[in-house]
Amino acid sequence: MRFLPLLFLFLVLCLFSVWHYVPGVRNRVEDWSGGGSFQTLEVRYSAESIMELHRQELLSDETHVFLQPSLKFVPYLLMDVKYARTHDRTGEGVILWGLVDGEMVLNTSTWEKTHGFTDCIASNASRQEFKVINALALRGGALDREGLSKHLNVENSILDALVESCRKKSLIVQTGNTYRLHLQNPKLSVLPETKLEHWLVTKPTRKAVRMKKRYRPVQIENVAQAAFGNEFAIRKTTEIFLPIYSIVVQNPDGTQMTSYWNALNGKRLAAPPYEIE
């Protein structure tokens, strides 16, 4: 009997950990109980309007038919930030960063994104390594050794260590005397601010299909702080969602083709590896 209090304490700690660190479980409990809500960008296009507008693109002929579309919600981290815009001016704004694809949204109207931060998260790029990455990004993705040394203004031994560290992590490659970012069409030289032109609304949790996060918020915060330097600060973070439609076309042979569409701007998304929580 004397072990019962310890067992009870152990169970309480386990439940606390599951509730706070396994959001899929929390979401299912909230859905089952009918309680809870979450913040999402507002749906501005219906699935029907997208299907009608892109009918010729999606339906090759009358033997192809639409199945019932579904609405899903993709997780993003909204960060309230401040940064040094110039040497005598501070910028303040928000950043919207994907918790599935690991990239920053530059503009919510076009849904233009960065390209390359996913690799930096995967390799756990440090603030020092980002000095090399940012230098190359500012120069169109490539620099010779002399140009990189001049830009960083560091001793040769330090430069060699940084370059070798980035190379081992497959963030850069060396061709002769030139270093370049190991990415196709990198887009990393950006201001730390998203042009957010749409409203946030609150949606009940019940029956809302939310997608599984691939990255933890702390990973996004870490890569942002490493990328944007010492003057960059995150004041507040909020998890929000982007509504997307899954539109399915049934082919005449019985197979199905699924495409994903941004319900905010009505544009097609690249087929993402989204999973339901």
Side-chain angles (χ1 to χ4, degrees):
M1 294 293 291
R2 65 174 179 266
F3 295 109
L4 287 179
L6 290 175
L7 179 61
F8 177 76
L9 179 61
F10 175 74
L11 290 173
V12 168
L13 291 174
C14 287
L15 288 172
F16 176 86
S17 297
V18 169
W19 183 261
H20 284 276
Y21 298 108
V22 187
V25 172
R26 183 170 68 249
N27 292 340
R28 287 193 178 92
V29 171
E30 289 174 344
D31 187 41
W32 174 78
S33 65
S37 62
F38 61 94
Q39 286 189 295
T40 175
L41 290 161
E42 187 177 12
V43 172
R44 298 174 66 88
Y45 286 79
S46 68
E48 290 71 24
S49 67
I50 292 173
M51 290 157 67
E52 184 59 34
L53 186 62
H54 297 276
R55 175 175 291 273
Q56 289 187 334
E57 174 188 345
L58 295 172
L59 302 181
S60 302
D61 52 45
E62 65 279 358
T63 64
H64 295 74
V65 296
F66 286 120
L67 299 184
Q68 185 66 32
S70 59
L71 180 65
K72 300 175 172 63
F73 294 88
V74 184
Y76 281 78
L77 189 67
L78 184 67
M79 298 184 283
D80 180 12
V81 304
K82 62 180 179 178
Y83 60 97
R85 184 181 287 271
T86 63
H87 71 280
D88 60 351
R89 184 182 173 193
T90 292
E92 296 183 356
V94 296
I95 294 178
L96 190 60
W97 208 301
L99 289 166
V100 172
D101 64 8
E103 297 292 345
M104 172 185 161
V105 178
L106 303 178
N107 187 312
T108 58
S109 290
T110 60
W111 214 253
E112 180 186 4
K113 291 186 173 186
T114 57
H115 176 58
F117 282 116
T118 302
D119 298 68
C120 296
I121 295 172
S123 64
N124 195 27
S126 69
R127 186 166 295 189
Q128 294 300 312
E129 289 163 344
F130 258 107
K131 290 182 178 180
V132 175
I133 295 167
N134 288 337
L136 297 178
L138 282 169
R139 295 298 186 275
L143 266 176
D144 61 19
R145 180 182 174 82
E146 182 182 355
L148 185 59
S149 176
K150 191 176 296 183
H151 182 92
L152 296 180
N153 192 26
V154 295
E155 295 178 1
N156 286 334
S157 59
I158 296 175
L159 177 64
D160 291 339
L162 287 175
V163 165
E164 182 62 16
S165 178
C166 290
R167 193 189 61 78
K168 283 183 176 179
K169 291 183 177 182
S170 296
L171 295 171
I172 68 171
V173 292
Q174 181 177 359
T175 306
N177 198 40
T178 299
Y179 305 105
R180 65 172 177 84
L181 293 173
H182 197 14
L183 294 163
Q184 184 178 3
N185 301 321
K187 187 180 291 184
L188 293 167
S189 182
V190 297
L191 280 177
E193 190 171 344
T194 298
K195 192 173 183 181
L196 187 65
E197 298 182 339
H198 298 87
W199 294 101
L200 287 173
V201 296
T202 300
K203 183 174 178 62
T205 300
R206 187 170 179 80
K207 294 185 179 179
V209 180
R210 287 177 287 176
M211 313 315 286
K212 187 176 181 180
K213 293 190 288 287
R214 181 184 264 174
Y215 302 104
R216 291 174 287 112
V218 68
Q219 290 178 282
I220 303 302
E221 293 178 47
N222 287 344
V223 76
Q225 289 170 333
F228 297 128
N230 295 329
E231 288 76 27
F232 174 81
I234 301 171
R235 300 189 290 194
K236 180 184 176 183
T237 63
T238 307
E239 188 175 314
I240 69 167
F241 291 80
L242 168 72
I244 68 167
Y245 292 113
S246 174
I247 294 178
V248 183
V249 172
Q250 180 154 312
N251 302 318
D253 62 359
T255 59
Q256 297 177 356
M257 181 192 75
T258 303
S259 56
Y260 299 90
W261 299 79
N262 187 325
L264 188 69
N265 63 11
K267 295 183 179 180
R268 188 170 184 168
L269 302 171
Y274 297 143
E275 297 177 28
I276 299 172
E277 283 190 341

